[in-house]
Amino acid sequence: MSQFRDGFTEVGIPDDAIAIVGLSCRLPEAPDKSAFWELLRDARHAIGEVPQDRWNAEELPPAARHGAFLDRVDTFDPAFFGISPREASMMDPQQRLMLELSWEAFEDAGIPLRQVRGSRTGVFVGAIANDYAVLLNRQGLSAVTQHSLTGTQRAIIANRVSYTLGLRGPSLTVDTAQSSGLVAVHQACAALRSGGCELAVAGGVNLNIVPESALAADRFGGLSPDGRCYTFDARANGYVRGEGGGAVLLKPLARALADGDSVYCVIRGGAVNNDGATDGLTVPSTAAQSEVLRLAYDRAGVDPADVHYVELHGTGTALGDPIEASALGAVLGTAPGRRLPLTVGSAKTNVGHLEGAAGMVGLLKTALSLHRRQIPASLHYETPNPRIPLDELNLRVQQSLTDWPEPESRPALAGVSSFGMGGTNCHLVLQGVPAAEPATRDGGGAERRAGVVPWLVSGRGEDALRAQAERLRSFVADRPELDVDAVAQSLVTSRDAHENRAVVLGSDRESLLNGLAALAAGEPASRVVRSRGAG
């Protein structure tokens, strides 16, 4: 058992636990992890009407006229990744998005890609949509190019990341319908535990580009005519579609500790199964969902009675919600020894159902909740679904932002569920880790030693360099607790240096911020040194 020490307690975690050391996301009204947490914390949703630049929503039934959409899905910097504009134009935007998310996950973990190029790092991606292929096929045979095949194959979503970043571990795109994203994470954890890879990127992407996919979901009977996910509420009448993606960077816990990585939380274990024969291909099974829960907690070595929160699949459908609740109540809610009701919620109420990436969204929400020891509200819940006996099942829907229900002296335990329409169920068991002891400050204002501090900024091109300077300036300005020497070290050791470079020199926080402002504005400054490297 690995031990995390916080000065007061010890929390035992299995040696085969997998640490989340980096994460990234691009979600409606949440372009990064901080914005996503703010959306959750503030109990907001990002659901609206179909953007005019997608398709003519008036041609679709009312239920298909709502969704949670990204601001743009047609922007991409191919030169940054060494891709020609012609090839980029034929690439499914899901490939482009997964490339960006993977890069950002490495940056969030503070791991320069130069350190992992050529390593046995795996890439596991959940994706089910092929909207871009439909869009390209509308252009006829004359539009087919040498890049069409690789641009539209779902397998290439993962392979493109491995190729571009030089990663030699397993590389696969997982399609288990709506559970794909979480199953991809489960597969990544299995590969790490077996030694199949030493580091893994796991993610999920989903983009809603053509109206045919929205119409298919509506005619299937899955969409809410109100454009809301009323999870566990009496009004539950379907889901609303969402788009975007997310990624996590995973390491075996022992290695993460040895490398000094920051850890959001750990994945203790999980399980995948299938409903088997039910009353219909898409009809879920209480027995199968109960079984996947029991398997997951048994493999994780966790007593179901000790789990505080479960991020639901929670689509808000009349059939699915009661079945999910029944299984949760049987295995966790009424588990012998439980001291508090099991708290549940669903991020689908915030950003819609991301289908193939839905489980990844649930994982990101739960990882951030464990990291911050807070549970955000599940939206649109007013009256309990009469088919869900919450008191009998000992379940409670989270209705406001609260601190974690247990003190820091007890392990914070949570689960994440994701179910595919074809019956493939996945559940992962997560545990929070005690906050790391703050680093000893030897800088910041008058406390730091006298001398000049160098902050290295780089980008691929002049515009990128200036944009990075502004991002760094804004980030540091909003965080007065940051140590200027620690920032300098991090910029050199934990980020890749690109061709266009500048060093901002300063003796204190204010002079460094002023130098960044000048660099961002393209103005000359005596303490900004410019250079161009080899990349």
Side-chain angles (χ1 to χ4, degrees), residues 234-450:
R235 296 167 291 173
N237 58 1
Y239 62 86
V240 59
R241 301 180 78 216
E243 69 175 6
V248 291
L249 190 62
L250 305 173
K251 269 188 183 184
L253 178 60
R255 182 180 171 195
L257 293 175
D259 292 345
D261 294 314
S262 296
V263 177
Y264 285 96
C265 66
V266 300
I267 301 172
R268 289 189 59 136
V272 174
N273 74 353
N274 192 273
D275 291 334
T278 62
D279 292 338
L281 174 64
T282 62
V283 176
S285 163
T286 301
Q289 290 185 18
S290 298
E291 180 184 15
V292 84
L293 291 169
R294 291 190 181 95
L295 283 170
Y297 288 99
D298 181 62
R299 292 172 180 172
V302 169
D303 186 339
D306 293 333
V307 178
H308 309 123
Y309 175 75
V310 168
E311 173 67 15
L312 302 166
H313 182 63
T315 53
T317 57
L319 178 64
D321 280 8
I323 290 175
E324 182 172 12
S326 178
L328 281 172
V331 179
L332 284 88
T334 60
R338 172 166 292 281
R339 299 186 303 122
L340 298 170
L342 177 68
T343 302
V344 298
S346 173
K348 292 179 179 64
T349 62
N350 302 96
V351 295
H353 188 351
L354 267 72
E355 298 168 347
M360 176 56 58
V361 177
L363 177 69
L364 292 175
K365 173 187 171 182
T366 309
L368 291 172
S369 296
L370 286 165
H371 185 59
R372 295 174 178 270
R373 290 193 71 90
Q374 290 184 308
I375 304 176
S378 190
L379 308 184
H380 315 313
Y381 177 78
E382 295 178 0
T383 305
N385 187 325
R387 297 180 61 193
I388 301 177
L390 290 174
D391 291 340
E392 180 182 326
L393 298 171
N394 202 23
L395 307 179
R396 181 178 64 84
V397 178
Q398 182 75 3
Q399 292 183 267
S400 63
L401 178 71
T402 65
D403 291 334
W404 204 264
E406 292 280 12
E408 291 196 28
S409 59
R410 293 179 61 87
L413 293 164
V416 184
S417 289
S418 193
F419 310 137
M421 65 186 301
T424 298
N425 309 307
C426 182
H427 188 85
L428 297 184
V429 182
L430 277 58
Q431 181 170 338
V433 298
E437 291 288 343
T440 302
R441 286 182 56 123
D442 62 353
E447 296 179 7
R448 67 172 306 277
R449 298 184 301 272

Side-chain angles (χ1 to χ4, degrees), residues 156-247:
I156 305 298
I157 297 174
N159 301 160
R160 179 82 66 175
V161 174
S162 299
Y163 168 77
T164 305
L165 304 186
L167 311 177
R168 295 184 177 175
S171 181
L172 59 148
T173 301
V174 176
D175 184 351
T176 59
Q178 290 75 12
S179 58
S180 299
L182 204 63
V183 172
V185 178
H186 180 72
Q187 293 289 92
C189 291
L192 287 166
R193 291 188 177 104
S194 69
C197 57
E198 56 196 26
L199 187 65
V201 179
V205 287
N206 187 69
L207 294 177
N208 303 323
I209 300 173
V210 296
E212 287 90 335
S213 55
L215 184 61
D218 178 68
R219 290 184 174 171
F220 172 72
L223 298 185
S224 165
D226 301 316
R228 297 289 184 271
C229 290
Y230 294 117
T231 304
F232 278 27
D233 189 88
R235 296 167 291 173
N237 58 1
Y239 62 86
V240 59
R241 301 180 78 216
E243 69 175 6

